[in-house]
Amino acid sequence: MIRFEHVTKRYPDGTTAVEDLSFEVAEGELVALVGPSGCGKTTTMKMVNRLIDPTSGRVLVNGEDIAGADPVALRRRIGYVIQQVGLFPHRTVLENTATVPQLVGTPKAAARARAAELLELVGLDPSVHGSRYPHQLSGGQRQRVGVARALAADPPVLLMDEPFGAVDPVVRERLQNEFLTLQKTVRKTILLVTHDLEEAIRLGDRIAVYGAGTIEQFARPAALLSAPATPYVASFVGADRGLKRLAVTAVTEADLEPAGDLAPGVSVELGASLREALAALLQEDSGRIAVTDPDTGTPAGVLTPQGVHRALRRAELQEA
Ligand code: ADP
Ligand code: MG
């Protein structure tokens, strides 16, 4: 859906922001670009909607080389969410959200009805927040409006540059989880920029780890954490990468012991993350928790700390 072919961007002052970049984002996939400040993430993203043109190489969207595309028409097909959100201060939340549909000629009433639906979808009550102005919202609420506004035009492609960056860690995690749920229904093709590895791991189907202007590794989160491709990536993902892997590895039936006569207590479902399972285990005096099958609601077995260890090893072997 989005394809970079040997793309280099040099700014007029001689700075090479990205060099010989090649990668692809499949339809319905969320790829997170992660790396330290100044490594070329935003430059990469802006080459997708032609806010910046490459010095050499090609960017294709839906098979079409966008060098020849009309930037205005292109941007209508590509939603753009940025940290500072950029809401119109003198328009209400509802008007802000309805901006693009109205711009492309959707009748006002229909545009507003759609905007209200989207506000609801991102967790804002249109009857409460719709008539407010941006300055009457919290940072987290403004970011939700930013996401709703980008979705209002129903673009197949979304670019998100540090979309959850301006809010505190607790709100950020909630927004990320809500966004994941939302993405399961809307299935957009998404390029998301972040400097936060945890965010990339939580949201990305695949992650591109940037060094200075190049991609050091492009892989699924579990693969990145199990097998960093270079010393740079290893140091970027950190010595505690084993802990981070808990979040991207699921509890499977093979990790369990027979249910036996376990007294009912804390339980998790098959498919839950090991992180969630370990958190539950740490609360249990017995050091064992029940795991249930979400399809049948019946016990599937018992998870112990050894089971968590086995699961991590199994996942690591699968990635290798
Ligand atoms: P990131 O988003 O990863 O922080 P950027 O893509 O914004 O990185 O920037 C990559 C590099 O290009 C940095 O060295 C930055 O200073 C430089 N850069 C960005 N925009 C310009 C510009 N308009 N002119 C010159 N250099 C720029
Ligand atoms: Mg940036």
Side-chain angles (χ1 to χ4, degrees):
M1 188 74 173
I2 304 174
R3 189 179 159 91
F4 277 69
E5 289 180 354
H6 302 289
V7 172
T8 294
K9 175 62 190 181
R10 252 181 284 284
Y11 285 109
D13 69 355
T15 307
T16 302
V18 297
E19 177 127 49
D20 196 22
L21 209 62
S22 295
F23 69 94
E24 202 169 336
V25 186
E27 189 169 346
E29 185 183 33
L30 192 157
V31 167
L33 310 183
V34 66
S37 177
C39 65
K41 307 181 297 294
T42 294
T43 301
T44 303
M45 173 159 287
K46 287 181 170 173
M47 288 192 284
V48 180
N49 63 3
R50 295 205 58 200
L51 287 174
I52 295 175
D53 285 324
T55 308
S56 61
R58 303 201 302 165
V59 180
L60 296 97
V61 173
N62 214 358
E64 174 199 352
D65 183 347
I66 61 169
D70 168 32
V72 174
L74 183 69
R75 282 171 212 152
R76 256 179 223 148
R77 292 190 281 143
I78 300 179
Y80 189 42
V81 187
I82 53 174
Q83 189 184 110
Q84 300 78 5
V85 185
L87 299 176
F88 300 112
H90 303 301
R91 290 190 195 165
T92 65
V93 164
L94 195 72
E95 287 162 355
N96 263 286
T97 310
T99 303
V100 177
Q102 278 197 256
L103 217 67
V104 300
T106 309
K108 191 167 174 179
R112 285 177 162 243
R114 178 69 186 139
E117 265 174 47
L118 281 157
L119 288 173
E120 199 124 11
L121 206 60
V122 298
L124 291 174
D125 182 346
S127 67
V128 176
H129 300 102
S131 56
R132 291 197 188 162
Y133 289 89
H135 76 271
Q136 296 170 312
L137 302 178
S138 71
Q141 289 170 335
R142 273 198 294 273
Q143 296 207 299
R144 286 162 200 252
V145 178
V147 172
R149 189 177 60 171
L151 289 171
D154 201 22
V157 176
L158 267 187
L159 307 177
M160 308 180 84
D161 197 340
E162 309 266 6
F164 311 120
V167 290
D168 67 74
V170 175
V171 175
R172 190 183 315 157
E173 184 161 350
R174 208 171 63 223
L175 283 176
Q176 287 167 347
N177 287 335
E178 285 169 4
F179 183 72
L180 269 183
T181 310
L182 184 64
Q183 167 64 351
K184 284 197 186 110
T185 30
V186 296
R187 276 277 149 217
K188 301 293 178 189
T189 303
I190 301 174
L191 202 55
L192 176 129
V193 162
T194 177
H195 63 272
D196 177 2
L197 178 65
E198 306 272 351
E199 177 161 289
I201 291 169
R202 200 169 289 142
L203 300 182
D205 294 310
R206 287 189 295 169
I207 298 176
V209 179
Y210 272 61
T214 56
I215 293 177
E216 295 265 336
Q217 187 167 5
F218 191 75
R220 291 185 301 112
L224 190 72
L225 295 169
S226 301
T230 65
Y232 171 87
V233 176
S235 85
F236 187 75
V237 299
D240 64 343
R241 62 192 169 89
L243 284 177
K244 296 190 178 100
R245 277 180 40 226
L246 291 169
V248 293
T249 310
V251 177
T252 70
E253 209 137 18
D255 309 319
L256 307 181
E257 288 161 29
D261 54 358
L262 184 80
V266 182
S267 71
V268 299
E269 293 183 343
L270 278 176
S273 73
L274 288 181
R275 186 171 184 260
E276 197 184 316
L278 186 61
L281 259 176
L282 292 172
Q283 286 177 31
E284 269 297 307
D285 292 334
S286 64
R288 304 154 67 77
I289 54 166
V291 177
T292 56
D293 183 334
D295 294 331
T296 61
T298 57
V302 166
L303 186 70
T304 64
Q306 289 75 24
V308 173
H309 188 254
R310 262 201 311 276
L312 274 180
R313 281 282 165 278
R314 164 185 54 75
E316 186 151 27
L317 280 174
Q318 275 169 8
E319 294 297 339

